[in-house]
């Protein structure tokens, strides 16, 4: 079959490809512990799951408005106002089939052919692919371990220069996948004047907002003068262990939301009515301080802090591995580049992909190579695994590198 030129340029997501290999090895009977997951291993909180089954029982099973039910959009508005200090009207909020779909429709609405979009790197790989599909090109702003993987004014100015006057927008992501870095209000305040001067639009992907262990979360749009140029994206996937429900949402300028809604009306249409009902419950219960919900979320938080500390302790003790302790999300980006050039288990390790292959096939540990995120020095270790799995997997990793 003759496929499009576009499909030849956009391969499958690197994290999905790694997961496919893992499933194949496991199907062949191999014992591989996965630290590759991009999702929590917890169940969706009980009151939220109940709202989902209620939706089915009560026949909430038909099309809804494309941008989401008014009830859910109101819950999203309340969430943004209470938790982020962002005030939106009903026409400034949209709900989509996951934050991924929301970011995609935003890029389709914002990017013209050959526009440059600045993406701090390492980065969640879908940003680059989505910019490509939208017809634009990605210009990386280099994040460094020395700066705690936070976007600095110098890195942003460097990317603007590299874009040669074609930069139209920037994608921010804090807490950050794959490094867990958190942008403080001060760090954002240092880049906001550059964003304003360059006339950039901003997509601020805040999907890991509720998973912060050190420091205070800040929404970029809450900074002075940034609201009018920023689309704030969030969702229920990571906060409430709801990756399978596929609900993301965004708030921003009405004109942009309207354009995204028009595009969404021709692609997915409305997100699942059942999932919308459950997401509304999650946001409402959270904002209302419901005791059962609060207890479930405290359980998530306590477990994740313990796992983060365990992962950092074991990884940090491995010779030739350095890391920046993540302040949020559930990933550690471990710099393993001191091992490049070595021959391990009879195989030469030239970069992160070789190392991840070797770890998966010889040591029985799945991690995601940094190459997938545009930074070959590291591997991403997800600590969304049980303490037992984490200990076994990281001990195997340590032995493989010994
Ligand atoms: C940075 C980032 N943004 C967005 C998403 C997608 O979230 P959703 O499940 O809501 O589509 C992910 C998922 O891994 C992510 O890491």
């Amino acid at each position: 079959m003759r496929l499009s030129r576009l499909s030849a340029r956009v391969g499958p997501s690197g994290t999905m490809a790694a997961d496919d290999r893992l499933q194949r090895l496991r199907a062949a009977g191999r014992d591989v512990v996965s630290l590759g997951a991009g999702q929590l291993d917890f169940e969706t909180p009980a009151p939220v799951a109940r709202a989902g089954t209620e939706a089915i029982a009560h026949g909430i099973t038909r099309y809804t408005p494309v941008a989401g039910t008014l009830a859910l959009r109101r819950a999203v508005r309340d969430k943004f106002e209470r938790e982020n200090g962002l005030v939106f009207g009903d026409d400034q909020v949209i709900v989509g089939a996951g934050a991924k779909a929301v970011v995609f429709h935003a890029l389709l609405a914002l990017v013209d052919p050959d526009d440059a979009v600045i993406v701090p790197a390492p980065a969640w790989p879908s940003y680059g692919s989505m910019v490509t599909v939208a017809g634009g090109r990605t210009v990386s702003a280099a994040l460094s371990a020395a700066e705690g993987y936070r976007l600095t004014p110098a890195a942003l100015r460097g990317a603007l220069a590299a874009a040669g006057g074609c930069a139209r927008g920037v994608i921010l992501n804090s807490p950050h996948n794959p490094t867990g870095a958190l942008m403080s209000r001060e760090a954002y305040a240092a880049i906001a004047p550059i964003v304003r001067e360059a006339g950039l639009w901003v997509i601020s992907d805040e999907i890991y907002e509720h998973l912060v262990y050190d420091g205070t979360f800040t929404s970029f749009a809450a900074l002075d003068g940034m609201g009018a140029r920023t689309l704030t994206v969030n969702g229920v996937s990571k906060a409430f262990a709801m990756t399978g429900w596929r609900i993301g949402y965004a708030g921003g300028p009405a004109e942009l939301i309207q354009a995204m809604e028009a595009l969404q009306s021709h692609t997915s249409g409305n997100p699942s009515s059942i999932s919308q009902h459950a997401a509304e419950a999650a946001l409402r219960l959270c904002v209302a301080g419901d005791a059962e919900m609060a207890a479930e979320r405290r359980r998530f938080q306590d477990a994740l802090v313990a796992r983060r500390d365990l992962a950092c302790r074991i990884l940090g003790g491995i010779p030739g591995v350095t890391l920046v302790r993540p302040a949020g999300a559930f990933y550690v980006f471990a710099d393993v580049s001191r091992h490049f050039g070595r021959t391990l288990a009879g195989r030469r390790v030239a970069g992160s992909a070789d190392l991840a292959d070797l770890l998966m096939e010889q040591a029985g540990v799945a991690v995601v190579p940094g190459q997938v995120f545009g930074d070959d020095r590291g591997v991403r270790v997800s600590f969304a695994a049980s303490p037992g799995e984490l200990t076994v997997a990281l001990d195997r990793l340590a032995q493989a590198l010994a």
Side-chain angles (χ1 to χ4, degrees), residues 38 97-101 103 124 127 173 175-177 205 207-208 234-238 242-243 246-248 331 380:
K100 189 177 254 185
V103 172
W124 183 48
Y127 297 140
N173 172 217
H176 183 240
N177 178 6
D205 180 347
I207 191 84
Y208 295 99
N234 208 322
V236 297
S237 286
K238 315 285 176 173
M242 292 178 73
T243 44
R246 308 311 302 133
I247 294 290
Y331 311 110
R380 189 189 76 176

Side-chain angles (χ1 to χ4, degrees), residues 336-351 354-355 358-359 362 399-402:
V336 288
S337 58
R338 296 239 292 275
H339 292 279
F340 296 168
R342 291 182 64 195
T343 299
L344 297 170
R347 288 166 63 166
R348 197 181 134 75
V349 176
D354 288 345
L355 185 64
L358 180 124
L359 289 173
Q362 309 283 330
Q399 273 167 30
L401 293 179

Side-chain angles (χ1 to χ4, degrees), residues 256-399:
L256 172 58
I257 297 292
Q258 209 178 17
M260 291 167 62
E261 183 179 352
L263 289 160
Q264 182 161 297
S265 75
H266 300 295
T267 56
S268 59
N270 67 265
S272 150
S273 57
I274 299 152
S275 299
Q276 287 190 63
H277 197 69
E280 184 193 333
L283 295 179
R284 286 260 173 248
L285 290 169
C286 204
V287 167
D290 174 77
E292 188 180 4
M293 189 71 172
E296 295 245 17
R297 297 200 42 235
R298 244 193 329 274
R299 192 171 60 79
F300 286 9
Q301 176 84 5
D302 292 348
L304 285 166
V305 169
R307 293 170 185 197
R308 190 253 330 236
D309 293 347
L310 176 67
C312 288
R313 195 172 61 245
I314 304 180
L315 275 168
I318 302 176
V321 174
T322 56
L323 56 92
V324 176
R325 195 179 164 79
F330 39 74
Y331 311 110
V332 184
F333 195 69
D335 187 327
V336 288
S337 58
R338 296 239 292 275
H339 292 279
F340 296 168
R342 291 182 64 195
T343 299
L344 297 170
R347 288 166 63 166
R348 197 181 134 75
V349 176
S352 66
D354 288 345
L355 185 64
D357 274 0
L358 180 124
L359 289 173
M360 175 126 57
E361 276 163 27
Q362 309 283 330
V365 187
V367 296
V368 185
Q371 190 191 51
V372 163
F373 305 96
D375 183 341
D376 198 38
R377 287 167 297 190
V379 292
R380 189 189 76 176
V381 173
S382 165
F383 54 85
S386 72
E389 285 172 319
L390 263 177
T391 308
V392 168
L394 293 177
D395 285 347
R396 288 181 183 180
L397 192 149
Q399 273 167 30

Side-chain angles (χ1 to χ4, degrees), residues 41-50 237 240-245 278 282 293 296 299-300:
D41 56 337
F42 307 133
E43 299 302 326
T44 298
V48 179
R50 280 199 301 272
S237 286
F240 306 107
M242 292 178 73
T243 44
W245 296 78
M293 189 71 172
E296 295 245 17
R299 192 171 60 79
F300 286 9

Side-chain angles (χ1 to χ4, degrees), residues 33-91:
V33 184
S34 175
L35 302 184
Q39 60 185 338
L40 297 173
D41 56 337
F42 307 133
E43 299 302 326
T44 298
V48 179
R50 280 199 301 272
T53 45
E54 255 165 46
I56 300 172
H58 295 157
I60 303 177
T61 51
R62 303 210 158 81
Y63 290 134
T64 75
V66 169
T69 62
L70 190 59
L72 176 54
R73 279 183 288 144
R74 292 256 160 94
V76 167
R77 282 179 58 187
D78 288 349
K79 179 261 177 257
F80 275 134
E81 185 165 354
R82 294 257 201 126
E83 296 187 351
N84 311 107
L86 304 177
V87 178
F88 295 116
D90 289 335
D91 60 347

